[in-house]
Amino acid sequence: MEWTFNRAGFGVLGLCFLLLGAASPGQAAPISNPAAAVAAAGATRFATVWRMRGEVTAVHGNASRKLREGDPVYVGERVRAASQAEAVLRTEDAGVVAVRPGTEFIAEKFAAEDKPSDGFTMRLVTGSLRVISGWIAQTNRSGHNIVTASATIGIRGTDHEPYVLSPELARETSNPEGTYDKVNRGGTTMKVGDNTLDIDPGKVGFVRAPAKTKERALLTILLPVLLDKVPSFYVPGEFDPELDRYSQTADQESKKQLELRRQSPAAAAAAAACAPTDVAKTWLAQLDGAIARGDAQAIIAMFAPDAAVRATVKDKDGKTTSVDLLRDELAQSTIAAMKALKDYKQRRVWTDARLTDLSGGTTCDRISLRSVVVEQGKMSGKPYRFESLEQYSIELRAGKWIAVKAETTQQ
């Protein structure tokens, strides 16, 4: 998935500092994984956090953690978004789950192994999601379901928005309580017992919430129906413009990822065992930590003597310039830039990694990684903000991961 960011002027920031996307001075990036206990318990990862605004938590048993961009999310965790928070999760089958404000859900099942047993079941407790299906919609469409208290929603290669309207919001908006589903692309099927309703693009299906008493339940027949118009409580999220663009090519992207997996099952299995994304995040955290400490020697040690380093930046007129650097120049220029910075803040929007040579490589000794970094601060008293795409090739040599190639491009 490719995200589009706002562009900003480059100013006078050092080229090498742009390349590394350093952590703020005096604050080393943490290496520990807050979800390690969940993973150690044998939970299956179904998604990774790609975008975030506000506070979104994941609860597993008695443990709760605040999600951050790049964090894994596991089957069985109860994900909750605060009233003003949103998140976008990328599922392991190249799909997307956008979490709206005030939403709570649980991924009850997930398997994306290109097998008949593949499936994705989410229980939406309250609030709304935007779901863009991945390759499970191609390999086992009947196994992809959203479950609520009043209905089950199946998919047909889909971009849709299920919504569980709580009693409180129902009163505020003067709409009946229950499950709604708005289809943006493809189609869904709402099911209540033996009753089904197909929903086409631009339409909204609705199933009333179950009756609260036995007497009413005996007198009430709950059937899915199509609404005449889209309810006013459906509003776009902050990241919807990006999701709209991705939705246009989502089916092709997920199919491409599935074909890559099928072309080299051994490489796919090796990648899973190697956990290249975890290796990449640990390596980047060590690099950011060295920069935060101003440790030029530690930075140099993370790059091969003959490492190829290139930075491509923009001037105020939008023209690009590429510069090739030696390893020592990289470290010294980065440290010099750090000393001139004030009010510096940095965050890695996402990090993606995979074993190099998907056509046949099956050993965990070379990884290609990409990471988008957002940086802002003051240089010589002038504020700046920009985003850059970093790309590294790292190799395992003598038991240590080092970079043999590094490239950055200002977005």
Side-chain angles (χ1 to χ4, degrees):
M1 181 186 305
E2 300 293 338
W3 298 108
T4 302
F5 301 93
N6 294 327
R7 298 170 186 250
F10 179 62
V12 294
L13 188 62
L15 294 176
C16 300
F17 181 62
L18 166 66
L19 174 67
L20 294 176
S24 55
Q27 181 180 353
I31 299 177
S32 60
N33 183 355
V38 181
T44 300
R45 175 161 62 182
F46 83 92
T48 302
V49 180
W50 278 65
R51 302 300 299 269
M52 176 76 71
R53 176 177 69 86
E55 183 174 304
V56 180
T57 59
V59 180
H60 185 269
N62 296 323
S64 176
R65 61 189 175 100
K66 293 182 180 180
L67 293 175
R68 300 172 299 176
E69 287 167 339
D71 278 356
V73 184
Y74 294 94
V75 171
E77 289 191 299
R78 183 178 291 264
V79 178
R80 297 168 176 162
S83 59
Q84 300 298 319
E86 295 182 62
V88 178
L89 313 181
R90 187 189 69 169
T91 61
E92 295 294 297
D93 67 332
V96 168
V97 176
V99 186
R100 308 299 201 190
T103 294
E104 182 174 328
F105 76 90
I106 305 169
E108 296 186 336
K109 174 187 176 183
F110 185 85
E113 301 175 349
D114 192 22
K115 297 179 180 178
S117 57
D118 282 1
F120 189 15
T121 300
M122 299 180 65
R123 182 169 296 277
L124 180 56
V125 180
T126 188
S128 180
L129 304 169
R130 179 172 178 180
V131 180
I132 302 176
S133 58
W135 80 57
I136 292 175
Q138 303 173 36
T139 59
N140 185 18
R141 183 175 297 174
S142 63
H144 196 299
N145 295 289
I146 308 293
V147 179
T148 75
S150 58
T152 297
I153 302 170
I155 57 96
R156 292 181 279 151
T158 303
D159 173 356
H160 70 122
E161 299 179 52
Y163 204 128
V164 173
L165 197 65
S166 66
E168 296 76 16
L169 192 54
R171 288 193 295 269
E172 292 176 10
T173 62
S174 299
N175 286 284
E177 177 188 354
T179 298
Y180 297 76
D181 191 44
K182 178 169 75 75
V183 174
N184 302 317
R185 177 182 57 80
T188 63
T189 300
M190 296 189 81
K191 296 176 284 187
V192 179
D194 295 330
N195 301 298
T196 62
L197 174 70
D198 290 338
I199 309 170
D200 295 323
K203 301 296 183 179
V204 179
F206 169 67
V207 176
R208 189 176 298 275
K212 298 298 189 296
T213 67
K214 183 176 180 180
E215 289 76 13
R216 285 188 58 193
L218 293 174
L219 300 174
T220 303
I221 298 177
L222 303 177
L223 296 176
V225 297
L226 283 176
L227 302 183
D228 295 332
K229 60 181 181 180
V230 178
S232 60
F233 53 76
Y234 270 106
V235 294
E238 178 177 331
F239 307 113
D240 272 33
E242 295 167 291
L243 295 175
D244 290 342
R245 288 190 288 272
Y246 180 66
S247 181
Q248 296 175 7
T249 59
D251 291 345
Q252 296 93 316
E253 177 65 21
S254 63
K255 183 177 180 180
K256 176 182 176 182
Q257 295 299 320
L258 180 58
E259 288 303 317
L260 284 173
R261 182 186 182 92
R262 288 172 171 172
Q263 288 172 10
S264 182
C274 178
T277 299
D278 291 341
V279 172
K281 289 180 179 179
T282 299
W283 188 86
L284 288 171
Q286 292 171 346
L287 179 62
D288 291 345
I291 296 170
R293 298 190 305 272
D295 190 342
Q297 291 304 313
I299 296 172
I300 291 173
M302 297 190 68
F303 288 79
D306 58 345
V309 181
R310 168 168 289 194
T312 301
V313 298
K314 294 180 181 179
D315 61 21
K316 62 182 180 179
D317 297 322
K319 296 181 179 179
T320 60
T321 301
S322 295
V323 178
D324 294 320
L325 304 165
L326 299 177
R327 183 180 66 168
D328 290 0
E329 293 175 331
L330 171 72
Q332 297 302 331
S333 297
T334 299
I335 299 305
M338 290 296 299
K339 293 179 179 178
L341 280 175
K342 292 190 180 296
D343 301 330
Y344 179 70
K345 295 181 180 179
Q346 170 261 12
R347 65 188 178 99
R348 292 191 179 274
V349 177
W350 58 263
T351 298
D352 185 36
R354 62 190 62 191
L355 292 180
T356 302
D357 187 16
L358 287 176
S359 63
T362 59
T363 59
C364 184
D365 56 11
R366 183 162 183 148
I367 291 174
S368 296
L369 71 93
R370 301 190 305 161
S371 183
V372 168
V373 179
V374 179
E375 306 177 45
Q376 64 185 56
K378 291 182 180 179
M379 173 66 75
S380 301
K382 296 183 179 180
Y384 71 90
R385 180 184 183 279
F386 63 84
E387 295 86 22
S388 57
L389 171 64
E390 301 175 358
Q391 301 181 81
Y392 299 91
S393 290
I394 60 176
E395 288 186 359
L396 187 62
R397 296 184 180 179
K400 181 180 178 180
W401 289 98
I402 61 173
V404 297
K405 182 178 182 181
E407 184 173 355
T408 185
T409 305
Q410 185 185 354
Q411 303 297 289

